[in-house]
Amino acid sequence: MTQLVLYIAAGLLLLGAAALLLRFPGTERPAPGGQHADAAEFFPIHCRFFPQVQHAFSPEDSEYMASHASPAVRKRWERSRKKAGRMYLAGLREDFARLNRLSRLLSLYSPRVRARQEAELLWLNLRFQLLYGLVSFRILMGRSAADDLKQIATLIGGLGSRLEHAALADPHSGAVTP
């Protein structure tokens, strides 16, 4: 009976994740006037600032504020920290959407797109959406989300480097998608 409940819960989570993927597609816009898109619009911007964000979410800051700040200042600091976390998380979502758009573009021009590579990209999308939801919830609850933000930034950085490698690969190798 317990296994059945777990399977049902897992199925509902997968359906929810799929619904999120369909609800928040990448913001794809064609280049104006039929021009080629600028290459810089495909690469991540926000994940580069993770060290600064990690420092802002350090436990030492929380300890210091708990022992030195008044309750009003501490409350305002917590609100600002939550807002900064949400803004950085939105930036990471934008970075992921950029890379997803680049991977779709590369697969469009790929001589051979392998089903395994497309499945990998789907898995990365699902993983990103699940991590995004988890981090959003943690930030909303006021919990430390530095480790989860690091996972997302690492996922985006890894995808970016794989896509860069794929874009520079020999077109006859067929290795154009992650």
Side-chain angles (χ1 to χ4, degrees), residues 46-68:
H46 303 93
C47 69
R48 297 179 205 161
F49 302 109
F50 178 72
Q52 291 86 356
V53 172
Q54 185 179 25
H55 180 71
F57 282 95
S58 71
E60 291 85 18
D61 286 354
S62 296
E63 292 169 8
Y64 181 83
M65 290 301 284
S67 64
H68 290 85

Side-chain angles (χ1 to χ4, degrees), residues 37-44 95 98-103 105 163:
D38 184 21
E41 81 176 65
F42 292 112
F43 292 101
D95 284 352
R98 289 169 178 245
L99 290 172
N100 194 19
R101 193 168 56 240
L102 176 62
S103 68
L105 184 67
L163 286 172

Side-chain angles (χ1 to χ4, degrees), residues 64-154:
Y64 181 83
M65 290 301 284
S67 64
H68 290 85
S70 69
V73 169
R74 186 169 172 218
K75 191 174 189 177
R76 195 171 72 212
W77 175 76
E78 284 290 336
R79 274 196 316 265
S80 297
R81 195 166 118 158
K82 282 182 185 180
K83 183 179 178 183
R86 287 191 310 266
M87 290 173 65
Y88 182 68
L89 194 57
L92 289 178
R93 171 173 260 171
E94 182 183 316
D95 284 352
F96 190 80
R98 289 169 178 245
L99 290 172
N100 194 19
R101 193 168 56 240
L102 176 62
S103 68
R104 297 291 173 208
L105 184 67
L106 288 174
S107 67
L108 178 68
Y109 293 110
S110 174
R112 290 182 275 154
V113 177
R114 297 182 185 143
R116 187 183 116 254
Q117 292 167 329
E118 287 296 324
E120 234 178 274
L121 189 58
L122 178 65
W123 168 245
L124 282 173
N125 275 313
L126 180 63
R127 188 170 159 206
F128 177 81
Q129 293 300 332
L130 289 173
L131 281 171
Y132 185 88
L134 175 71
V135 174
S136 294
F137 182 72
R138 281 185 177 235
I139 290 173
L140 182 67
M141 299 305 291
R143 304 277 188 224
S144 175
D147 292 336
D148 297 322
L149 283 171
K150 182 178 183 177
Q151 267 189 302
I152 291 178
T154 302

